[in-house]
Amino acid sequence: MATATDDKSEIILACIRGFLTSLSAKPPLSEDAQKYILPESFAVLSHPGPDGLIQCTLSDFLARTEANTASLYSSGATSAVYSLTDPEPVVWTGGRFSAVWTGYSLIVDGVEKSRGVYAFTLFERDDGWRIGGIASKQWPAANTEYPPPPPFSDDVTPEMVGPTLELCKLLNEEKWEEVESLMLPGSGATYMRYPGTLLMMEWPEFFSRMRAMLEKAKPGYVHQELMDWEGRICGDVGLIWTPFTVALDGEVRIRGYNVFSMLRRADGKWLISGAQDG
């Protein structure tokens, strides 16, 4: 796998730390926060309590965070700091594409108020790395009203990886009427098309474009395959990093990497809550 341990991983983590630092600034958030993200890409946030599941763009994510931070300061807080914490960051890279799984916490006036885990996807642009996808799990740091934090694990269970394998199978069999049953409604994908073009779209448009692309290849047979996978899980949120190939009549034409963010429903079924590729 393409787990990063070199200088590139430090550059990527610097982007994430800069992003969290910008979230910690007193509102209104400066334009500094915008320079770390692709504003129209997607976030899926799993929070406790009445907020529940939040699906939004990264631009909306910033607005929500600013409102939350403003509320803390208006209630008398003097500092609200987002920072990385356990589990320590794991960075995967493939060319100009990366994913990061990391713990984070919100500390207000020196007291930890909430803790969580982020799954970031990042794309390298000519002007640097940008966050193009966020999935998160959050819980109160010390609140007996909610269950204790779920454990972190690198055990990618068959149940969690299953929807991604089934997705490839359905795409290869052109069963377009079934693919969206594997996806979290209202979410979508961000993907890179060289020489650096990024496309962001919700599932119906994404699969419509993919179908049109495969139709152009006929009468050739297009076969998509996940070559390997590695991932992390925290409760009902997970991340899968996997290289993939696309072959036409048995000849590999495309190699790349996918990041799938995963969400487990209350009935135990895992869905793909977001996808990025590069």
Side-chain angles (χ1 to χ4, degrees):
M1 298 299 290
T3 306
T5 57
D6 54 13
D7 291 343
K8 181 179 284 190
S9 66
E10 291 305 315
I11 295 172
I12 292 165
L13 289 176
C15 173
I16 291 174
R17 291 190 178 100
F19 176 65
L20 295 181
T21 296
S22 72
L23 298 184
S24 305
K26 285 189 176 182
L29 294 179
S30 69
E31 293 181 1
D32 185 59
Q34 294 282 345
K35 75 181 185 182
Y36 295 103
I37 66 169
L38 301 175
E40 299 308 311
S41 196
F42 303 100
V44 178
L45 317 171
S46 179
H47 288 187
D51 285 344
L53 183 67
I54 300 167
Q55 295 173 263
C56 60
T57 65
L58 297 190
S59 181
D60 291 335
F61 171 84
L62 287 185
R64 285 178 170 273
T65 303
E66 180 175 1
N68 180 62
T69 308
S71 176
L72 292 171
Y73 282 115
S74 65
S75 65
T78 59
S79 69
V81 178
Y82 291 89
S83 60
L84 300 184
T85 185
D86 294 335
E88 292 186 358
V90 179
V91 182
W92 294 267
T93 59
R96 303 181 69 180
F97 184 57
S98 179
V100 177
W101 173 267
T102 181
Y104 75 95
S105 67
L106 171 61
I107 298 175
V108 179
D109 292 339
V111 178
E112 186 176 68
K113 293 297 184 180
S114 62
R115 180 178 283 259
V117 63
Y118 274 132
F120 290 104
T121 306
L122 300 95
F123 298 86
E124 187 180 22
R125 311 299 300 275
D126 290 341
D127 55 355
W129 287 89
R130 297 290 179 268
I131 296 167
I134 296 177
S136 78
K137 172 72 179 179
Q138 185 189 88
W139 56 89
N143 188 335
T144 56
E145 180 181 352
Y146 299 104
F152 302 106
S153 175
D154 59 4
D155 181 15
V156 182
T157 64
E159 292 78 14
M160 190 176 86
V161 78
T164 66
L165 299 175
E166 181 67 11
L167 177 62
C168 278
K169 179 175 180 290
L170 293 178
L171 293 177
N172 290 334
E173 296 174 354
E174 300 186 48
K175 294 184 176 179
W176 300 104
E177 70 282 0
E178 299 180 34
V179 291
E180 288 195 46
S181 67
L182 303 172
M183 324 308 281
L184 178 69
S187 191
T190 300
Y191 62 106
M192 180 182 289
R193 289 296 174 263
Y194 292 98
T197 300
L198 285 171
L199 302 174
M200 289 154 271
M201 58 198 68
E202 294 187 8
W203 298 128
E205 183 181 1
F206 175 75
F207 288 117
S208 177
R209 281 177 174 254
M210 181 171 287
R211 183 173 187 173
M213 179 188 71
L214 295 180
E215 288 290 336
K216 289 180 181 179
K218 290 184 176 179
Y221 172 66
V222 177
H223 181 80
Q224 305 182 61
E225 184 175 5
L226 304 184
M227 305 306 296
D228 195 1
W229 49 83
E230 186 176 337
R232 297 294 187 273
I233 184 173
C234 178
D236 56 8
V237 171
L239 173 147
I240 298 173
W241 167 272
T242 175
F244 72 90
T245 61
V246 180
L248 177 62
D249 290 334
E251 180 183 351
V252 174
R253 298 291 185 90
I254 299 174
R255 297 181 185 273
Y257 296 89
N258 280 319
V259 172
F260 296 105
S261 57
M262 310 297 297
L263 182 74
R264 181 165 51 193
R265 299 189 314 199
D267 63 3
K269 180 180 179 180
W270 285 94
L271 295 175
I272 299 171
S273 60
Q276 292 81 30
D277 79 35

